[in-house]
Amino acid sequence: MEQELQVLWVAVTAYVLAGVFAVVGVVLGKRPERTVLSLMLAGLALQALSIGLRWARLGHGPFITMFEILCSNVWSLMTAYTLAYWRIPRIRASAAVVMPLMFIMLGWLMVAHPGEGHYPPTYNTPWLYIHIGLGKVFLGAVLVAVGLSCVILLRHAGIGLQRFAQLPASAQLDELAFRCMAIGLIFHTLMLIAGAIWAQDAWGRYWAWDPLETWAFITWLTVAFTIHARLAYRLSPPVHAGLVLAVFVTAFLTFFGVPFISATPHQGAV
């Protein structure tokens, strides 16, 4: 286990350096984009190695203990944002906002106990992996939307107008955030369907309104409401950005809070 943790620490260091370069670049008006992207990719590769070593040692994926769930979520969120950073050069300055948000989760990960956990044999179906994978894509899409929304809100508050001048206008950022939310809705819907199928295999029922299922449905409603409101009422970019942040808070509570205080079969730490 010591080797896994050592590799993970190096990966976290690479992420932190990427964030520092991104923030310093925005503050000084520089564009260290290749350095930031290289550090992100290095961090992803090292973290994937750490997860792989643990997976091979324990024989199950990173989704049982708080440590494993945080680790896999950090990896999936960083993967989603790194892809967006690479493929959409216009949004790269938003890394100065997104990476500090990731620092909070990285700090939580590094203080979480890396102890081992085990799950019942009934959990071990392909639908578990499909369900979890779809959920992580949803979270990644929302994270990108949150980064863009934070830039919109900072501009609206008169903060960092010059620092974020290299980013597109707020209306264009708002359109990108809306597309990310639409992708998020698709993957969240698929996650619920896959989860229901998995629940039938694991517990003999598709849906039971346990706390996590209820909060997952509430999260789906907040995403759907945000998209509907933006289309139907032509919300201004700051208002839409506020709703996107509300979705992120709801999703964060659903994915990181409810599973660890619930005594239902959905409890994360089995």
Side-chain angles (χ1 to χ4, degrees):
M1 183 168 70
E2 185 175 347
Q3 186 182 23
E4 304 158 14
L5 295 178
Q6 289 173 346
V7 175
L8 180 61
W9 269 106
V10 179
V12 170
T13 303
Y15 291 146
V16 171
L17 287 175
V20 170
F21 274 102
V23 172
V24 171
V26 168
V27 171
L28 299 180
K30 305 292 184 182
R31 305 187 68 171
E33 296 173 354
R34 289 188 177 181
T35 302
V36 173
L37 181 59
S38 299
L39 286 167
M40 285 178 175
L41 291 173
L44 283 173
L46 289 165
Q47 192 179 2
L49 175 61
S50 174
I51 292 172
L53 289 171
R54 184 180 179 92
W55 194 324
R57 181 171 64 83
L58 298 180
H60 64 72
F63 39 66
I64 303 300
T65 66
M66 171 69 90
F67 175 83
E68 292 170 353
I69 293 173
L70 280 171
C71 191
S72 59
N73 279 344
V74 165
W75 188 85
S76 60
L77 289 171
M78 283 302 306
T79 298
Y81 187 71
T82 302
L83 282 172
Y85 188 91
W86 172 45
R87 298 300 298 171
I88 313 175
R90 292 176 297 165
I91 70 166
R92 288 178 178 172
S94 69
V97 177
V98 172
M99 292 307 291
L101 290 176
M102 291 302 301
F103 289 171
I104 299 172
M105 199 171 292
L106 287 170
W108 189 5
L109 169 63
M110 299 318 293
V111 299
H113 192 279
E116 303 168 4
H118 304 281
Y119 59 50
T122 53
Y123 279 35
N124 193 18
T125 78
W127 286 105
L128 171 63
Y129 297 90
I130 296 170
H131 173 60
I132 292 174
L134 292 169
K136 293 186 184 306
V137 175
F138 160 72
L139 273 180
V142 172
L143 178 69
V144 176
V146 166
L148 300 174
S149 298
C150 286
V151 173
I152 293 171
L153 292 174
L154 288 172
R155 279 177 168 172
H156 185 68
I159 301 172
L161 294 178
Q162 292 183 337
R163 306 301 183 192
F164 293 115
Q166 56 187 289
L167 283 167
S170 292
Q172 292 176 276
L173 295 181
D174 181 64
E175 178 64 25
L176 286 171
F178 169 72
R179 293 182 184 183
C180 289
M181 293 300 291
I183 293 172
L185 180 64
I186 293 170
F187 279 90
H188 194 289
T189 303
L190 294 174
M191 180 194 75
L192 292 181
I193 294 171
I197 297 172
W198 170 48
Q200 174 64 24
D201 285 346
W203 304 310
R205 49 64 170 183
Y206 289 101
W207 195 270
W209 295 107
D210 73 31
L212 186 57
E213 290 170 351
T214 302
W215 273 89
F217 184 64
I218 291 172
T219 302
W220 185 89
L221 288 177
T222 60
V223 178
F225 172 77
T226 299
I227 292 174
H228 172 73
R230 202 265 188 182
L231 288 174
Y233 302 109
R234 299 182 181 278
L235 302 177
S236 65
V239 174
H240 181 230
L243 288 177
V244 171
L245 291 185
V247 169
F248 181 72
V249 171
T250 307
F252 192 87
L253 290 174
T254 300
F255 280 77
F256 297 101
V258 177
F260 298 97
I261 61 174
S262 160
T264 70
H266 236 120
Q267 189 175 13
V270 178

